[in-house]
Amino acid sequence: MLHLTHPARHPSLRPTPPRRAAAPARARPPSLARARTLARARPPSVGAAETEIASTSGGGGGGSVLSFLCPLLKLLGGGDPSRERNDFVEVTTSSISSLARLPWGSKVATSSGDNTGPATSVPTLQLYEFEACPFCRRVREAMTELDLSAEVYPCPKGSRRHREMVKKIGGKEQFPLLVDASTGVTMYESGDIVNYLFRQYGQGRSPPSGLLESTIFTGWVPTLLRAGRGMTLWNNAGVVPAEKLELFSYENNSYARIVREALCELELPYVLQNVGEGSSKMDALQRISGSKQVPYLIDLNTGFQSGDYKKILSYLFQQYSISS
């Protein structure tokens, strides 16, 4: 299995002098030999229906569903995501999406904070996913509930880098895929991943049944309402930052969702700092940004920092466009 690069440094969680902007560089692929000693595969145990829906490699009924939805939702979504958007429509559809998924992914579950380590700890979880996938959303919701940080490698349809890494790691193009470098576990299947995260980082308890079951009924609502945002690679994407971006967010925040969609469409890897209600990282966020509001994006490659989702969108599509 392919070994992922060591988790990115997090100097933003402690005061640092401003950096000079650096030109984006091509990321180097991780070492294959070391990965085989780090990650051990776990067989999936969830039903084939989820496998077919979450996978976009073809060959399953769900794969056909997504193959049909991708161009349709892209058309309904207005095409180029870098163009000026209707703010009312953006916020309204994202807010309704959040309502559909309540209460999941909004706050830290009781007693989770004691199991996630200090707020300044470097994440050892690596998640390969794409924002519009309802089963990837289920895993991100669990991470918010458990106050977990993770390195996120977006894998939009048309991906030029991360989907190939997924196939090398696990042998198939299926999402989500989790790698836990601290335990050597590599696994597909969102239900298995959620159970593993609660068992490993939630004092051994089981996840709330509603978190797993509700995905089938309301997990597709954000995908449909957001017209497939965060599903396909933007045509002008391709610039790879030398260092991962860092995003303070929580899964069910309406504005943070819009930013995560853009990161996915640009295939930009980032460190996700979940700061749901009750998070141990909330004080760190306030020290850095001066408030507890999310989203808050930090780009160490250029020194850019902002908590305004519209400024973040404008910056991302300008800075990481191959036509810039």
Side-chain angles (χ1 to χ4, degrees):
M1 298 211 176
L2 182 69
H3 175 57
L4 302 178
T5 52
H6 289 292
R9 294 178 288 111
H10 292 269
S12 59
L13 291 176
R14 56 181 182 275
T16 56
R19 292 189 174 197
R20 179 177 295 178
R26 292 284 172 184
R28 290 191 297 270
S31 165
L32 179 60
R34 181 168 164 78
R36 286 175 174 150
T37 66
L38 181 72
R40 76 182 153 79
R42 283 183 58 138
S45 63
V46 181
E50 177 187 333
T51 300
E52 293 177 349
I53 293 173
S55 174
T56 57
S57 57
S64 300
V65 171
L66 278 181
S67 297
F68 171 76
L69 281 179
C70 282
L72 177 62
L73 292 177
K74 187 175 181 179
L75 176 64
L76 295 176
D80 192 342
S82 67
R83 293 179 180 175
E84 186 174 354
R85 306 182 183 189
N86 184 312
D87 185 56
F88 175 79
V89 173
E90 289 290 298
V91 174
T92 299
T93 55
S94 189
S95 297
I96 297 174
S97 298
S98 295
L99 288 173
R101 292 303 299 150
L102 281 175
W104 316 117
S106 298
K107 62 182 180 180
V108 177
T110 305
S111 76
S112 292
D114 295 335
N115 303 287
T116 58
T120 55
S121 62
V122 177
T124 61
L125 298 173
Q126 293 122 4
L127 180 64
Y128 290 80
E129 53 89 64
F130 60 98
E131 179 67 26
C133 170
F135 297 102
C136 300
R137 184 173 298 115
R138 171 193 277 174
V139 173
R140 297 193 306 265
E141 288 169 346
M143 286 183 169
T144 295
E145 303 253 332
L146 293 168
D147 202 22
L148 294 172
S149 299
E151 287 186 342
V152 176
Y153 295 85
C155 301
K157 185 176 178 63
S159 161
R160 298 180 181 130
R161 300 184 303 278
H162 298 156
R163 289 200 173 209
E164 186 62 30
M165 292 170 66
V166 168
K167 286 191 285 187
K168 290 180 179 178
I169 293 169
K172 55 185 174 180
E173 192 174 301
Q174 181 180 313
F175 307 98
L177 171 69
L178 179 79
V179 176
D180 189 343
S182 66
T183 63
V185 166
T186 298
M187 59 187 353
Y188 291 105
E189 304 291 348
S190 65
D192 287 351
I193 292 172
V194 170
N195 279 304
Y196 167 78
L197 291 174
F198 271 84
R199 193 166 56 245
Q200 184 71 23
Y201 299 102
Q203 295 182 332
R205 70 186 188 278
S206 299
S209 59
L211 174 60
L212 296 174
E213 296 166 354
S214 63
T215 299
I216 302 299
F217 302 102
T218 62
W220 285 97
V221 172
T223 303
L224 297 173
L225 284 178
R226 296 294 299 149
R229 294 286 191 194
M231 179 178 284
T232 58
L233 185 71
W234 182 45
N235 291 336
N236 288 332
V239 178
V240 184
E243 295 195 57
K244 295 179 182 68
L245 282 63
E246 186 169 16
L247 178 67
F248 286 83
S249 166
Y250 63 86
E251 176 56 30
N252 211 24
N253 181 273
S254 303
Y255 300 99
R257 175 183 292 106
I258 298 172
V259 172
R260 293 195 310 268
E261 291 167 349
L263 290 168
C264 184
E265 290 163 339
L266 288 161
E267 201 178 2
L268 292 174
Y270 61 98
V271 174
L272 174 63
Q273 302 284 5
N274 276 308
V275 282
E277 181 183 342
S279 170
S280 62
K281 296 181 284 292
M282 193 65 75
D283 289 340
L285 171 61
Q286 187 161 27
R287 287 196 303 270
I288 293 166
S289 68
S291 76
K292 295 183 178 181
Q293 300 301 309
V294 296
Y296 193 80
L297 182 77
I298 300 170
D299 188 347
L300 293 174
N301 300 283
T302 64
F304 175 86
Q305 298 187 32
S306 179
D308 184 321
Y309 87 94
K310 288 187 284 188
K311 290 181 179 178
I312 294 173
L313 289 183
S314 177
Y315 166 79
L316 289 175
F317 284 109
Q318 290 180 23
Q319 181 66 27
Y320 293 102
S321 165
I322 56 176
S323 61
S324 295

